[in-house]
Amino acid sequence: MASIPVVVKHQGKRHDVELDPSSTGEVFKSQLYSLTGVEPERQKILVKGGQLKDHTELATLGVKPGHTFMMMGTPLTGEGSAGVLQRPKEKIRFVEDMSEAEAAKIDGAIPAGLQNLGNTCYLNSTLQTLRFVPELQQELSKYKASPASGPSAAGSAGLGDLSQFGLSGLGASMDLTASLRDLYQQMSETQEGFPPLMFLNALRTAFPQFAQRSEQGHGFAQQDAEEAWSQIVSQLRQKLKIRDAPADGGASDSAAQQNVEVSFIDRYLAGRFESTLECDEVAAREAGEEVVKGEDAFFKLDCHISAQINHLRDGILAALEEKVEKKSTVLDRDAVYTKKSRVARFPKYLTVHFVRFFWKREAQKKAKIMRRVTFPHELDVVEFCTDELKAMLIPVRDKIREVRKDEEDVERARKRQKRMDKLEAEEREKEAKMGPVSDKKKAAEEKKGDKTGGKKGDTKADKKGGDTEMADVTYKSDAELEAERAAAILAAKKELIRLVNPTLAADDGANKSGLYELRGVITHQGASADSGHYTSYVKKEGRKDPTTGKTGDEDGKWWWFNDDKVSEVEAEKIDTLAGGGESHSALILLYRAIPVPTETDLVEETG
C-alpha cells in the first residue's frame, strides 16, 4: 500500500512524515520518536474522536495527503534531547552471560521442578500449585519465624543463618511456614529440578503420618495429596498472619487494635457456611424440636461422586446436603438429621476436592472412584450461596458478563474492519495499476448504455423529468465509532464498580463477582491412594511489562509439573483430566475469583 505524506506539528516545528496506512498507531509513534525524541508512551497525537491509540489501524483514519496532525508531549530525558541517540541506561545482557538465579527470574522462564525423593510426588504437585498464588508468595517473603523454644532451640539457633549456603531451611526445620518460604525462594533462583529435602523433613516432623514407611519395606509410603494440602494450609493458617488496619478506619488507643492480625488463609482461601440441622422424623418436629442454625469455616468444597454425578456442579450440590445420625433430646434416642449448608462468603481462591478415594473394607485400603466428572474453566458459584449473598453477587456477575460481551464484540468488529480495510487497499492498488484499461471499459459501458436508450436504468423520477433529491447524511469515521464504543464500555465498567456491595468491597480477600477461573489442577494416576502418581497443572500468567509492572494478556497455555520435569501444554489438555479410568484425573482444583475493575484500573486504562 502506498504511503501518504502528512505533516506533524510539535512544539512549533513541522515534521514531514510518510504515513503507512497498513500499519498501526504504535508504528506511527515510533516514527515520530525518531524525529522528536519523545518516547511513544509519552506522545499524545490528536485525531478525530480523541487520541491516537497504539492498536488503531491508520487506514481507518481516512487521512489524505497533506493532512496535519497535532502532537503533544516532551521526552522523558528532558528538553533538548530530541533526535539525539543516547547510551542505554542499563547494559544489555544476554541469557548466556547471566547467572542461574538471574536467568530463572527472566519473564517467561521455565519454572523450577521438584525432585522426587521417594514417593513424594504427592507433595511436589501440592507445592507447585500453591506456589502460583501471588499473595502467598508476597506474605511468605515477609514472614519471620518466632523464636524456637524447648530442647531443639539451641540447635536451631546454631543453624539460624545458613541462607548464604542455600541451607536456610535447616535453621527453621521445626517451622513449616519458614521452610516453605525458604523453599520457594530457592526455587525462584533455578530452572533445574530442586530437592525439597528441608521442607519434607519439616512436614514429617510436624505430621508424622507422612513419615510412614512403605509396606514393601523400601523407603517411604505414597501419601494422599489432599491430606498434604490440608495439613500445609492448616499450618499456614496458624502461622502466617497479615497485619490489618482497624475495620472502622479510626484511631485506637490500643496498639494491638491498631495492628489487627488476620490469618492469611482466613482472608484469601477460607469461606463460610451457614447451615441448618433438622431431624427427619415428624415426631421430633411435632414434639417441638427446633431447627439448629450454625456457621462453619471451610477451606475447600467437596465434590461427592456417585453413579448420578457427571459434573462438578452436581457433586458440590450433593455435598452441601448430608445425613447425620445423632441423639435427639426430644425423642431420647438416636435419629437421622439432615444438614443443609449454603455459602455466606466465598474466598478469592477456592479449593475444590474431588472425593475420589474411599476406604474399601474388603481390600483394606483406599480405593479410587474412576468415574468421569467434568469441570468448567469458569465456575459460577451463585447457586451455592445464601439468599443474602446471592443478592450481592448476581448484579455484579451479570454486569461482568455484559461488559465482557461488549469487549468481545468490539474486538471482533476491529478485526473485521481490519480485514475490510486490507481488501479495500488491495482493490485500490489493483485499480491504480489497471487504470487505463478500466477507463476504456467504463467508456465502452457508457456507449453501450447510450445505444439502449437508458431504458433499463430509468426511474420514476427520470420519467417525470426530475432528479431524486437525496438528503444530506453525515457518516462517522471508524475512529469516531471506536471512540464511542470505548466510552460505552468505560461507562459500563464504572457502573460495575458501583454495583459491588460495600461489605464485599471492604473484604479484600472475598469473591465479589460469584465467578471463578481455573488456575491449578492436581491430578492422580492409578487405582488407589496408596499407589499411582501425582502431577499438577498451573495456568501460565501473562508477561509482565518491566516499565509499568502491568501483566499482559495470557496465551492460554499451562505448565505441567511432573516432579522435576516441567513442560508447556495447551488448554485442551486440561479437558482430558475429568477421569474415567486409571489415567490422570483431577483430584484438587484451584480457582481464582474473576476480578472486578477498580477506579485505579480505569484511570490507567484511559490515561
Side-chain angles (χ1 to χ4, degrees):
M1 187 182 297
S3 60
I4 302 173
V6 296
V7 176
V8 178
K9 288 186 177 180
H10 175 246
Q11 294 184 345
K13 295 182 180 179
R14 293 169 57 91
H15 301 279
D16 295 322
V17 183
E18 292 292 325
L19 183 145
D20 182 4
S22 63
S23 63
T24 62
E26 184 177 14
V27 175
F28 188 52
K29 289 181 179 181
S30 298
Q31 286 180 266
L32 298 182
Y33 174 50
S34 64
L35 293 173
T36 64
V38 180
E39 293 80 359
E41 63 271 14
R42 295 176 61 84
Q43 296 177 18
K44 290 186 178 180
I45 303 170
L46 304 182
V47 296
K48 195 171 183 180
Q51 296 180 24
L52 180 65
K53 302 291 185 182
D54 288 348
H55 57 74
T56 300
E57 300 290 334
L58 298 182
T60 64
L61 300 179
V63 175
K64 296 180 180 180
H67 182 87
T68 300
F69 289 98
M70 294 296 295
M71 172 181 153
M72 295 182 291
T74 56
L76 185 64
T77 51
E79 297 181 2
S81 61
V84 179
L85 292 177
Q86 299 182 0
R87 183 186 298 274
K89 293 181 180 179
E90 296 183 5
K91 184 179 178 181
I92 298 176
R93 300 185 65 195
F94 298 95
V95 177
E96 293 80 2
D97 302 325
M98 295 181 180
S99 66
E100 183 181 5
E102 291 171 332
K105 294 181 184 295
I106 295 176
D107 193 28
I110 297 176
L114 289 170
Q115 294 179 19
N116 193 320
L117 303 179
N119 283 335
T120 58
C121 55
Y122 72 93
L123 178 62
N124 292 346
S125 57
T126 299
L127 293 173
Q128 291 287 17
T129 307
L130 282 172
R131 186 186 173 202
F132 285 86
V133 176
E135 293 86 352
L136 177 59
Q137 293 284 349
Q138 182 180 351
E139 293 304 321
L140 280 174
S141 66
K142 304 174 187 175
Y143 177 76
K144 296 187 183 300
S146 56
S149 60
S152 62
S156 297
L159 297 171
D161 187 19
L162 295 176
S163 58
Q164 58 181 320
F165 305 112
L167 298 173
S168 54
L170 284 173
S173 60
M174 299 301 292
D175 190 328
L176 198 69
T177 304
S179 297
L180 185 63
R181 173 202 63 199
D182 297 336
L183 173 63
Y184 284 159
Q185 175 61 34
Q186 291 157 350
M187 290 175 68
S188 70
E189 297 175 353
T190 183
Q191 290 180 276
E192 303 297 328
F194 189 83
L197 182 60
M198 302 305 168
F199 182 84
L200 182 61
N201 289 338
L203 180 70
R204 287 171 174 167
T205 300
F207 304 103
Q209 70 189 79
F210 297 107
Q212 180 184 353
R213 308 294 295 190
S214 172
E215 293 180 357
Q216 286 74 27
H218 302 291
F220 292 92
Q222 176 69 286
Q223 300 289 337
D224 186 345
E226 186 275 327
E227 292 179 0
W229 178 286
S230 297
Q231 297 292 22
I232 292 171
V233 167
S234 70
Q235 278 290 294
L236 290 175
R237 189 187 186 207
Q238 295 176 30
K239 295 284 188 177
L240 194 59
K241 305 291 183 180
I242 303 173
R243 293 197 175 275
D244 207 357
D248 58 3
S252 174
D253 297 332
S254 170
Q257 288 182 334
Q258 290 179 5
N259 294 287
V260 179
E261 282 195 343
V262 181
S263 166
F264 172 85
I265 297 298
D266 286 346
R267 169 167 289 184
Y268 289 106
L269 278 91
R272 188 176 77 255
F273 281 135
E274 287 185 2
S275 60
T276 59
L277 185 66
E278 184 178 13
C279 185
D280 289 357
E281 296 189 30
V282 178
R285 294 196 294 271
E286 290 177 346
E289 183 167 322
E290 296 182 353
V291 177
V292 179
K293 296 182 179 180
E295 287 191 2
D296 302 288
F298 71 86
F299 306 100
K300 64 180 187 299
L301 286 184
D302 285 333
C303 173
H304 286 181
I305 303 176
S306 66
Q308 292 75 38
I309 303 299
N310 297 308
H311 188 70
L312 177 68
R313 167 191 172 276
D314 305 325
I316 292 176
L317 285 174
L320 292 177
E321 184 172 327
E322 56 183 331
K323 298 293 183 180
V324 179
E325 186 175 348
K326 74 183 200 72
K327 185 174 182 179
S328 169
T329 55
V330 173
L331 302 176
D332 195 27
R333 59 177 172 79
D334 287 346
V336 177
Y337 288 74
T338 298
K339 182 177 182 181
K340 296 180 180 179
S341 301
R342 284 294 180 266
V343 179
R345 178 191 186 268
F346 267 109
K348 182 174 183 178
Y349 292 91
L350 174 66
T351 305
V352 180
H353 170 223
F354 287 95
V355 186
R356 288 193 176 277
F357 299 129
F358 68 99
W359 182 254
K360 196 170 185 178
R361 188 176 302 173
E362 300 81 14
Q364 288 294 300
K365 67 176 184 179
K366 276 187 176 181
K368 180 179 178 181
I369 301 174
M370 306 289 188
R371 186 174 180 80
R372 174 180 170 83
V373 180
T374 59
F375 53 89
H377 286 257
E378 180 175 297
L379 178 64
D380 184 346
V381 296
V382 168
E383 66 177 316
F384 311 136
C385 301
T386 60
D387 292 339
E388 183 181 359
L389 186 57
K390 280 181 182 179
M392 296 181 189
L393 295 178
I394 288 176
V396 181
R397 179 200 64 184
D398 293 345
K399 196 65 181 179
I400 281 181
R401 287 174 171 169
E402 179 185 325
V403 171
R404 184 190 298 168
K405 182 179 180 301
D406 290 343
E407 289 179 327
E408 290 172 354
D409 289 344
V410 168
E411 184 62 26
R412 278 196 296 268
R414 184 180 294 127
K415 291 179 179 179
R416 184 168 58 250
Q417 187 62 46
K418 185 176 180 180
R419 290 194 300 269
M420 291 173 61
D421 292 339
K422 185 178 180 181
L423 290 173
E424 289 178 5
E426 291 174 353
E427 189 65 28
R428 285 196 297 269
E429 189 174 349
K430 184 179 179 181
E431 288 178 358
K433 293 179 180 178
M434 304 289 290
V437 178
S438 297
D439 291 342
K440 290 179 181 178
K441 185 177 180 181
K442 185 177 180 181
E445 289 178 352
E446 289 177 353
K447 189 174 181 180
K448 185 179 180 181
D450 293 339
K451 288 180 179 179
T452 59
K455 293 180 181 179
K456 189 175 181 180
D458 285 348
T459 62
K460 291 183 179 180
D462 294 334
K463 289 178 181 178
K464 292 179 180 179
D467 294 332
T468 302
E469 185 177 349
M470 301 296 291
D472 292 335
V473 180
T474 302
Y475 295 98
K476 294 180 181 179
S477 66
D478 293 332
E480 288 176 320
L481 291 173
E482 187 172 336
E484 285 183 2
R485 296 191 194 104
I489 291 175
L490 180 61
K493 288 182 177 179
K494 288 181 178 178
E495 183 184 351
L496 172 59
I497 294 173
R498 291 193 294 269
L499 287 173
V500 178
N501 184 277
T503 303
L504 288 179
D507 189 348
D508 182 54
N511 182 323
K512 301 171 177 59
S513 65
L515 297 173
Y516 283 98
E517 57 176 337
L518 186 63
R519 303 303 302 185
V521 183
I522 296 177
T523 67
H524 177 265
Q525 179 186 31
S528 72
D530 301 327
S531 61
H533 183 58
Y534 290 93
T535 66
S536 62
Y537 295 80
V538 176
K539 193 171 187 180
K540 291 177 61 180
E541 296 278 0
R543 289 182 177 272
K544 184 173 288 187
D545 189 320
T547 306
T548 63
K550 296 174 66 176
T551 302
D553 294 335
E554 298 177 345
D555 60 10
K557 296 182 179 179
W558 292 64
W559 293 120
W560 180 27
F561 296 95
N562 185 4
D563 287 333
D564 57 342
K565 301 179 184 66
V566 183
S567 56
E568 191 179 75
V569 298
E570 300 292 337
E572 291 75 19
K573 176 65 177 177
I574 306 303
D575 297 327
T576 68
L577 306 177
E582 292 190 18
S583 61
H584 284 287
S585 53
L587 180 70
I588 294 176
L589 305 177
L590 181 64
Y591 283 96
R592 183 173 69 189
I594 290 179
V596 175
T598 63
E599 293 287 356
T600 305
D601 296 333
L602 298 188
V603 170
E604 292 178 355
E605 187 176 324
T606 57

